[in-house]
Amino acid sequence: MLELVKAGGWLMLPIIACSVIALAIIGERLWMLRMRRVVPRHLVAQVWTWIRDQQLDNVHIHSLRTGSPMGRVLAAGLVNRHHDRDVMLEAIQDTGRHAALELERYLNSLGTIAAITPLLGLLGTVIGMIKVFSVITTQGVGDPGVLAGGISEALITTAAGLTVAIPSLMFYRYFRGKVDMLVVRMEEESMKLVEVMQGEREADIEGGEAA
């Protein structure tokens, strides 16, 4: 591996740096975008149970706010539960936008890595071919070893750039789709709670679910 890095030239350093950053982002986002962390099951049912049993207080709202991104969105609405529907929705939407930005954290960086690493590889290809033609110009084609060095540098950097870019792009697209899905789920669950509290939707008292 070290020999390949040396053969690829100095452009291998930024490509390797991009690969390390991409791996860190992918690992962090896989952990942070877990469904049970962002949109815990039965959270709305739990909140409705508190409301039904008249147990909803500042302590519960604080625990809700700090528990998950969806809990933070629901808490924004519950803080304004004594106001009308529009005020609750505005608070939920404002907090929801911040929660969505949090879910998208580092994704632009991952997308940038997916875009620039092939270009770094292409730059390495160009530099390698320039070296080849420079050798041909000064020494002719009599030394195949020197020519092979420039060609190998061109091919190695191209392969390294694509090796980093392809999985980075795949995970970027995957995370984008997952964030969109999670945001939609948060919106749906928040609307359930608002509609039940405003009397626009029936609630299953036994199960605590909005029906």
Side-chain angles (χ1 to χ4, degrees):
M1 180 64 71
L2 184 59
E3 294 300 322
L4 286 176
V5 173
K6 290 180 179 179
W10 65 270
L11 275 170
M12 289 295 290
L13 296 178
I15 293 175
I16 291 172
C18 286
S19 70
V20 172
I21 296 171
L23 282 174
I25 293 173
I26 290 169
E28 191 269 349
R29 287 294 88 187
L30 284 173
W31 180 258
M32 298 300 291
L33 294 180
R34 291 170 298 154
M35 175 69 76
R36 64 177 178 272
R37 179 193 172 275
V38 179
V39 187
R41 293 185 63 185
H42 308 308
L43 185 60
V44 172
Q46 179 63 64
V47 172
W48 175 244
T49 300
W50 291 338
I51 295 172
R52 180 194 61 189
D53 297 339
Q54 297 183 348
Q55 296 177 346
L56 185 65
D57 54 20
N58 291 334
V59 174
H60 283 115
I61 291 176
H62 177 73
S63 66
L64 191 65
R65 182 182 290 116
T66 57
S68 65
M70 191 179 80
R72 189 158 63 252
V73 173
L74 295 178
L78 292 173
V79 168
N80 295 279
R81 62 189 181 278
H82 300 302
H83 298 281
D84 59 27
R85 186 177 191 273
D86 290 339
V87 174
M88 288 186 66
L89 284 179
E90 184 178 351
I92 287 174
Q93 290 169 357
D94 184 57
T95 305
R97 283 191 291 269
H98 288 85
L101 288 175
E102 179 184 323
L103 297 180
E104 294 173 354
R105 184 181 297 172
Y106 306 130
L107 292 191
N108 284 337
S109 298
L110 186 61
T112 300
I113 290 172
I116 67 172
T117 46
L119 298 178
L120 290 172
L122 179 61
L123 179 58
T125 300
V126 172
I127 292 174
M129 296 309 296
I130 288 174
K131 290 182 179 179
V132 170
F133 286 112
S134 177
V135 169
I136 292 175
T137 301
T138 57
Q139 302 179 20
V141 294
D143 189 352
V146 176
L147 297 179
I151 294 173
S152 66
E153 179 178 343
L155 296 178
I156 289 170
T157 53
T158 300
L162 292 175
T163 300
V164 176
I166 291 171
S168 296
L169 181 60
M170 291 173 60
F171 275 103
Y172 173 76
R173 295 293 187 185
Y174 167 73
F175 289 139
R176 278 291 180 189
K178 189 164 188 177
V179 167
D180 290 342
M181 181 269 293
L182 291 171
V183 169
V184 169
R185 285 290 302 275
M186 287 193 294
E187 290 176 351
E188 290 175 348
E189 296 300 311
S190 301
M191 286 304 301
K192 284 182 185 178
L193 184 63
V194 171
E195 290 171 359
V196 169
M197 294 186 67
Q198 295 294 325
E200 300 172 2
R201 187 187 186 104
E202 296 299 326
D204 178 0
I205 302 299
E206 294 300 324
E209 293 282 4

